[in-house]
Amino acid sequence: MAEKVILLDLFASMFGMRARVALAAKGVQYEYREEDLRNKSQLLLQSNPVHKKIPVLIHNDKPVCESLVIVEYIDEVWNQKYPLLPSHPYQRAQARFWADYIDKKLYAVGRMVWTKSGEELEAAKKEFVEILKQLESELGDKAFFGGESFGFLDVALVTYSTWFHTYETCGGLSIGEHCPKLSEWVKRCLEIDFVSESLPDPAKIYDFALMLRKVFGIDAS
Ligand SMILES: N[C@@H](CCC(=O)N[C@@H](CS)C(=O)NCC(=O)O)C(=O)O
Ligand SMILES: *[C@@H]1O[C@H](CO)[C@@H](O)[C@H](O)[C@H]1NC(C)=O
């Protein structure tokens, strides 16, 4: 049976990018559909009635929601090529633990770094760097979070690197200065074709963030 794969997404979403990277790792052909989150499509509302968020992967008319669930689903369905989850249950549990840590911590604090100012910004920057350092220590001296090869946790985190320029510019910080090993890891990830080809240009993310700052009334227009 011909596979029908649709991804409901938004170009700047680090969650959506996870699905794009995983699909690219597996060489899956799919139809990309950009959503306008202020005017969501019927298909999005029907496919993710609980959260009404992107990304949603629709595989042969069956929707799968939540980016990490989607990445695991992709890994299980297209299991012949480029395994993403570690094969050992303990390593798998560890990868899921850290992916969950990223979701619980990094998004919200990162958002504060590019939207807040004054004391709130200073507190957010401090916490942001602590989170990245925690992740950097989990990386240790390994080439990738998955060890020798790029895997599940690498997928979960590398999409944030497209926002690093925005965090640095809006927040006034240098991630490379605080986390040199993590910065080297980003470069290693981007040397993999299916990774770099799936991620948007950080300059476009920055433009998008500046547009949102205006919408939020942070910068006078
Ligand atoms: N935990 C979700 C987060 C997804 C998410 O936050 N998506 C945002 C865009 S980055 C969204 O669709 N927001 C629309 C809304 O909240 O109305 C995941 O991992 O997929
Ligand atoms: C909302 O999206 C629909 C198509 O999905 C389009 O026809 C309509 O013009 C859009 N409305 C606004 C206000 O952008």
Side-chain angles (χ1 to χ4, degrees), residues 114-208:
W114 66 268
T115 57
K116 299 292 180 188
S117 58
E119 275 175 32
E120 275 181 312
L121 172 60
E122 289 315 308
K125 271 158 69 171
K126 191 162 169 277
E127 195 182 350
F128 183 74
V129 168
E130 278 166 15
I131 295 165
L132 289 183
K133 283 195 167 159
Q134 190 81 62
L135 289 163
E136 185 175 64
S137 82
E138 170 57 20
L139 175 66
D141 291 318
K142 299 193 295 283
F144 296 101
F145 285 93
E148 285 306 304
S149 59
F150 179 90
F152 178 73
L153 188 50
D154 299 283
V155 176
L157 187 59
V158 74
T159 62
Y160 278 86
S161 71
T162 62
W163 279 79
F164 281 6
H165 173 67
T166 298
Y167 299 137
E168 290 184 321
T169 313
C170 294
L173 84 159
S174 162
I175 292 171
E177 202 173 281
H178 292 289
C179 304
K181 281 187 183 172
L182 202 65
S183 300
E184 289 304 312
W185 164 81
V186 171
K187 283 187 201 143
R188 270 196 297 282
C189 292
L190 293 177
E191 281 165 14
I192 303 169
D193 287 345
F194 70 73
V195 177
S196 52
E197 286 162 10
S198 312
L199 297 178
D201 179 355
K204 292 222 171 77
I205 301 287
Y206 181 61
D207 289 344
F208 178 77

Side-chain angles (χ1 to χ4, degrees), residues 32-43:
Y32 179 92
R33 289 201 199 165
E34 182 81 355
E35 284 285 335
D36 174 356
L37 295 183
R38 283 174 290 181
N39 181 19
K40 295 171 183 171
S41 71
Q42 275 308 313
L43 187 59

